Amino acid sequence: MMKIVKPTLLLDEERCKRNIKKIAEKAKANNVIFRPHFKTHQSKAIGKWFKNEGTVAITVSSLGMASYFADAGWKEITIAFPCNILQIDLINKLAKKVRLNLLVDNHEVIKLLNSQLSHAVNIYVEIDTGKGRTGVKADDKDLIIDLLTNIDGNKFTKVKGLYLHAGHSYECRNKESIMDVYQDSISHLAELKDLTKDKFPNFEICYGDTPTCSVIDKFENINALSPGNLVFYDLMQEQIGACTENDIAVAVACPVVSINKLKNQVCIYGGAIHFSKEALVVNGVPLYGKVVKLTKKGWSPILKDCNVTGLSQEHGLVSMTDNEMGKLKVGDVLGVLPVHSCLTAECLGEYLTLNGRFLDHYSKKKHA
Amino acid sequence: MMKIVKPTLLLDEERCKRNIKKIAEKAKANNVIFRPHFKTHQSKAIGKWFKNEGTVAITVSSLGMASYFADAGWKEITIAFPCNILQIDLINKLAKKVRLNLLVDNHEVIKLLNSQLSHAVNIYVEIDTGKGRTGVKADDKDLIIDLLTNIDGNKFTKVKGLYLHAGHSYECRNKESIMDVYQDSISHLAELKDLTKDKFPNFEICYGDTPTCSVIDKFENINALSPGNLVFYDLMQEQIGACTENDIAVAVACPVVSINKLKNQVCIYGGAIHFSKEALVVNGVPLYGKVVKLTKKGWSPILKDCNVTGLSQEHGLVSMTDNEMGKLKVGDVLGVLPVHSCLTAECLGEYLTLNGRFLDHYSKKKHA
């Protein structure tokens, strides 16, 4: 591996490609369109690995990110975020260039779109089956039908279907509870499909959260999948039960800058601006990462009881065991598996593969 | 104000300059060197405002940040982070160009520096009076004297003095408890000064955390101050009692993209990649920001009981009152005072002043 001197996001290309292949094949086996969410990796280079598995349509979380991937040649892009009408200029620019799918959950935006669009867009009505973030509640059938009818009646807006991010699966801690969330969600979707199938024959139901897409093998009443995080996975997904630690494809390499032997505590160069501040709470204590040893080929299994217990702007505090502590010295480099890989990748702004290639990230933040 | 279409970090130049002037004058009145920490703003443009108040020496949190400010003409720079020996090439490059002050808390780094430095650097021994992050414990006098003696005996390392970030003041919630932290810290420093004054006549004690520097007027046994956050302040400092909301000089402008009238909940375009995920815990519930109305001249006082209660990657969830809810529509822009302005500025990567000028940030992240 290359010489690491500052916090650096390492990418295990092999694991990442394995993760991509697995979900692309699952989508194919279920005969559903694969619309992977690119907000996790935000990288043109990694996007190509999806293309190599047959992906033709993608999902992103902002119009800026859509522009970045449109520039890379992607022709069908869903913005899986409530339509931000204030960026209508960018919406029109993109709608001219690619097949653009937007999400709405209210009449006001449809009205504003109709008066301001200059090119056709496809619209998903966003549905909420329990996450409670955005979207129309799944049992508010009248509003859903009204919205679809409204979209259908206008010159530049076409009905695409329903979009659902069952994000409450993130509260789960095992496969059974993820399946419960999924079963509940698709029972709502089945009803909605029945209600709409005659009027909207090309109707699509797009579904996608990483826990569900990881543990469910057979999808019903769904036409497309759009998970994101599973390209890398992370400690949160491992805690949920969506992956094992061997599926986690990124680690942050962090120099050791200070060692406190009395407290078995190490300070690493790697803080909130490198990891973001997402925490797991384990036994009532926040945990910001787990420690691995860097090896010639990547990194070791997680070192038991060696955890990142605090993050300030650039400092990370790591609690180590006696045994690991004895081997450490200032100037060593530790690996840290992140709690939330999407945010960590955003913070670090580029990837270093295990064979020494740098891959770009949309945020292009270079300083780390 | 300019038309805002995406999450944008607004900077109230007047408040910011007032904050700078206040602490610069306090340093002058105490006859101590002012070494402001630039990790909060990370902006060449804002750095000039300090220069206009007579600042000649600055503090930063990384070698990369030091290079950025060295390029802007700053000639004396402290890296207030445990010396990262792996970046020795950058240390030597900077040491050739500017008066470089480094922090150490262990013998190993001094040894490595001595074998790898090609230009002289000044060294502070970092002292810990209770924060427990890095630094030698203040009562470990033998180690402190040993480190100073070791530094003094080498060709390229000169003793600068002691550096103390009394970060445990962040646990305080009123002026009295901040003063307790300060009194305890300086009683340690007084002892250490006595022990060292004969051997190191130009010895400097540099102290600096925003809570202390905000509430203490008269400093004893201290030769330099290096607070950072007080250039902007934020909700955390307001909770600590270091500032009032009228001192907070930044707010994030966020488009409203979805409104849930039944829950009095609004979704804004503004998430973890814009704010970072620092939270205050208020009545057991995490709070990621407080809402203000944008006005022609800046922003209103905080809207009572209107809080950011959740952040995902790009979504912010805001809990609103009935009264404020009634006035809102999709396409409006809300202001949000951040919990931790250092991290929010890092995330957003540029500033928009209230009179419409964009100011750069070292992270240069443009996409938001």
Side-chain angles (χ1 to χ4, degrees):
Chain A
M1 206 184 287
M2 289 184 55
K3 187 170 160 60
I4 305 279
V5 303
K6 61 179 183 178
T8 304
L9 185 56
L10 303 179
L11 172 61
D12 184 325
E13 188 169 336
E14 202 178 300
R15 288 186 184 187
C16 181
K17 286 180 171 171
R18 191 178 69 203
N19 293 340
I20 293 169
K21 195 179 180 69
K22 197 168 164 191
I23 181 67
E25 287 179 351
K26 192 184 278 192
K28 198 181 282 180
N30 277 276
N31 197 26
V32 300
I33 303 168
F34 186 35
R35 302 183 179 277
H37 207 318
F38 278 17
K39 79 181 172 75
T40 302
H41 63 78
Q42 299 187 51
S43 170
K44 288 178 185 177
I46 297 172
K48 281 190 196 155
W49 302 349
F50 282 87
K51 195 169 270 176
N52 294 341
E53 294 295 335
T55 302
V56 295
I58 67 169
T59 306
V60 298
S61 54
S62 70
L63 285 153
M65 208 187 295
S67 304
Y68 168 85
F69 284 111
D71 289 346
W74 292 94
K75 296 291 181 207
E76 176 161 4
I77 304 178
T78 301
I79 320 284
F81 185 83
C83 175
N84 176 24
I85 192 66
L86 297 178
Q87 288 184 296
I88 187 69
D89 293 347
L90 195 44
I91 292 172
N92 277 321
K93 198 172 154 193
L94 279 163
K96 186 177 173 183
K97 191 170 175 179
V98 304
R99 281 188 303 284
L100 191 65
N101 307 320
L102 302 179
L103 266 59
V104 306
D105 65 2
N106 61 79
H107 282 294
E108 292 69 28
V109 162
I110 299 169
K111 191 175 166 193
L112 291 163
L113 279 172
N114 281 323
S115 66
Q116 298 179 46
L117 278 172
S118 57
H119 295 81
V121 300
N122 304 306
I123 306 224
Y124 290 107
V125 171
E126 187 183 0
I127 304 297
D128 175 26
T129 59
K131 163 79 174 163
R133 186 172 66 181
T134 49
V136 183
K137 277 185 81 69
D139 51 16
D140 196 348
K141 298 190 190 92
D142 290 346
L143 178 54
I144 293 167
I145 300 294
D146 274 0
L147 287 167
L148 291 168
T149 308
N150 189 356
I151 293 161
D152 196 42
N154 288 296
K155 184 177 170 195
F156 287 127
T157 56
K158 312 282 167 216
V159 167
K160 183 75 184 169
L162 303 180
Y163 188 96
L164 174 67
H165 172 70
H168 46 315
S169 65
Y170 278 66
E171 306 301 319
C172 300
R173 292 294 176 269
N174 55 56
K175 189 172 170 173
E176 290 66 36
S177 55
I178 296 170
M179 290 185 78
D180 288 345
V181 168
Y182 167 73
Q183 289 296 347
D184 179 65
S185 293
I186 60 159
S187 70
H188 283 294
L189 292 174
E191 275 187 72
L192 291 168
K193 202 168 188 176
D194 263 359
L195 274 178
T196 51
K197 66 182 172 193
D198 296 332
K199 194 155 179 204
F200 309 107
N202 298 318
F203 204 65
E204 177 188 302
I205 291 179
C206 184
Y207 193 97
D209 58 283
T210 285
T212 307
C213 292
S214 299
V215 308
I216 301 291
D217 289 319
K218 219 54 207 123
F219 290 92
E220 294 167 80
N221 292 314
I222 283 172
N223 312 102
L225 291 178
S226 64
N229 181 279
L230 48 60
V231 65
F232 297 151
Y233 287 116
D234 51 32
L235 294 180
M236 194 185 290
Q237 296 295 339
E238 197 248 341
Q239 191 193 50
I240 292 167
C243 71
T244 68
E245 74 164 278
N246 291 326
D247 300 316
I248 300 175
V250 288
V252 185
C254 298
V256 171
V257 292
S258 174
I259 290 181
N260 186 329
K261 292 202 166 151
L262 291 174
K263 292 170 76 178
N264 275 2
Q265 178 180 284
V266 169
C267 179
I268 54 173
Y269 182 15
I273 67 165
H274 309 102
F275 288 96
S276 186
K277 274 205 93 160
E278 196 90 67
L280 299 179
V281 179
V282 178
N283 301 325
V285 177
L287 180 153
Y288 299 95
K290 291 187 179 180
V291 177
V292 294
K293 267 188 244 187
L294 300 184
T295 63
K296 274 188 190 167
K297 290 186 169 182
W299 54 84
S300 75
I302 290 168
L303 301 182
K304 198 166 173 313
D305 298 327
C306 297
N307 300 320
V308 181
T309 54
L311 292 177
S312 40
Q313 184 163 338
E314 322 251 353
H315 301 72
L317 284 188
V318 185
S319 168
M320 300 291 281
T321 57
D322 280 339
N323 185 34
E324 294 302 332
M325 199 68 190
K327 304 174 198 165
L328 265 187
K329 58 184 196 306
V330 164
D332 286 350
V333 179
L334 288 177
V336 176
L337 301 188
V339 169
H340 190 163
S341 58
C342 312
L343 299 186
T344 301
E346 165 81 20
C347 282
L348 285 161
E350 67 178 356
Y351 304 89
L352 176 61
T353 68
L354 298 181
N355 50 22
R357 279 188 307 140
F358 283 99
L359 307 183
D360 70 329
H361 183 286
Y362 167 50
S363 83
K364 288 185 187 60
K365 212 181 71 169
K366 289 284 181 190
H367 70 72
Chain B
M1 206 183 289
M2 289 183 57
K3 188 171 159 59
I4 305 279
V5 304
K6 62 180 182 176
T8 303
L9 186 56
L10 303 179
L11 172 61
D12 184 324
E13 188 170 336
E14 203 178 298
R15 286 186 185 187
C16 182
K17 286 181 171 171
R18 192 178 68 204
N19 293 340
I20 294 169
K21 195 179 179 69
K22 198 167 162 189
I23 181 66
E25 287 179 351
K26 192 184 276 193
K28 198 182 284 179
N30 277 276
N31 197 27
V32 300
I33 302 168
F34 185 35
R35 303 183 178 276
H37 208 318
F38 278 17
K39 80 181 172 74
T40 301
H41 63 79
Q42 299 187 50
S43 169
K44 288 178 184 176
I46 297 172
K48 280 189 195 156
W49 302 349
F50 282 87
K51 195 169 270 178
N52 293 341
E53 293 295 335
T55 302
V56 295
I58 67 169
T59 306
V60 299
S61 53
S62 70
L63 285 153
M65 207 186 296
S67 305
Y68 168 85
F69 284 111
D71 289 345
W74 291 94
K75 296 291 180 206
E76 176 162 2
I77 304 178
T78 301
I79 320 284
F81 184 84
C83 175
N84 176 24
I85 193 67
L86 297 178
Q87 288 182 298
I88 187 68
D89 292 348
L90 195 44
I91 292 172
N92 277 320
K93 198 173 155 193
L94 278 162
K96 186 176 174 184
K97 191 172 175 180
V98 304
R99 282 189 302 284
L100 192 65
N101 308 320
L102 303 179
L103 267 59
V104 306
D105 65 2
N106 61 79
H107 282 294
E108 292 70 25
V109 161
I110 299 169
K111 190 175 168 191
L112 292 164
L113 279 172
N114 281 323
S115 66
Q116 297 178 45
L117 278 172
S118 56
H119 295 82
V121 300
N122 305 306
I123 307 225
Y124 290 106
V125 172
E126 187 183 3
I127 304 297
D128 175 26
T129 59
K131 164 79 174 163
R133 186 172 67 181
T134 50
V136 183
K137 276 184 80 70
D139 50 16
D140 196 347
K141 297 189 192 95
D142 290 346
L143 178 54
I144 293 167
I145 299 294
D146 273 0
L147 287 169
L148 291 168
T149 308
N150 189 355
I151 293 161
D152 195 43
N154 287 298
K155 184 177 170 195
F156 286 126
T157 56
K158 311 282 166 214
V159 167
K160 183 75 184 170
L162 303 179
Y163 189 96
L164 173 66
H165 173 70
H168 45 316
S169 66
Y170 278 65
E171 306 301 319
C172 300
R173 292 294 176 268
N174 55 56
K175 189 172 169 172
E176 291 65 37
S177 54
I178 297 170
M179 290 184 77
D180 288 345
V181 168
Y182 166 73
Q183 289 296 346
D184 179 65
S185 293
I186 59 160
S187 70
H188 283 294
L189 292 175
E191 275 186 73
L192 291 168
K193 203 168 185 174
D194 263 359
L195 274 178
T196 51
K197 67 182 173 193
D198 296 331
K199 193 156 180 202
F200 309 106
N202 298 317
F203 204 66
E204 177 189 301
I205 292 179
C206 184
Y207 192 97
D209 60 283
T210 284
T212 307
C213 293
S214 299
V215 308
I216 302 291
D217 288 320
K218 213 65 201 118
F219 290 92
E220 293 167 81
N221 292 315
I222 283 172
N223 313 102
L225 291 179
S226 65
N229 180 280
L230 49 58
V231 64
F232 297 152
Y233 287 116
D234 51 34
L235 294 180
M236 194 184 290
Q237 296 295 339
E238 197 248 342
Q239 191 193 48
I240 292 167
C243 72
T244 68
E245 73 164 282
N246 291 326
D247 301 316
I248 299 174
V250 288
V252 185
C254 298
V256 171
V257 292
S258 174
I259 291 180
N260 186 328
K261 291 201 169 155
L262 292 174
K263 292 170 75 177
N264 276 0
Q265 178 182 285
V266 169
C267 178
I268 54 174
Y269 181 15
I273 67 164
H274 309 102
F275 288 97
S276 186
K277 273 205 93 161
E278 195 90 67
L280 300 180
V281 179
V282 179
N283 301 325
V285 177
L287 180 153
Y288 299 95
K290 292 187 180 181
V291 178
V292 294
K293 269 188 242 185
L294 300 184
T295 64
K296 275 187 189 167
K297 291 187 168 180
W299 54 83
S300 75
I302 289 167
L303 302 182
K304 199 167 174 311
D305 298 326
C306 296
N307 299 321
V308 180
T309 55
L311 292 177
S312 39
Q313 184 164 338
E314 321 250 355
H315 301 72
L317 284 189
V318 184
S319 168
M320 300 291 281
T321 57
D322 280 340
N323 185 36
E324 294 303 331
M325 199 68 190
K327 305 173 198 166
L328 267 186
K329 58 184 195 307
V330 165
D332 286 350
V333 179
L334 288 178
V336 176
L337 301 187
V339 169
H340 190 164
S341 59
C342 312
L343 298 186
T344 301
E346 165 81 20
C347 282
L348 285 161
E350 67 179 355
Y351 303 90
L352 177 60
T353 68
L354 299 180
N355 50 23
R357 279 187 309 141
F358 283 98
L359 306 183
D360 70 327
H361 184 286
Y362 167 49
S363 84
K364 288 184 187 59
K365 212 180 71 170
K366 290 282 181 191
H367 69 73

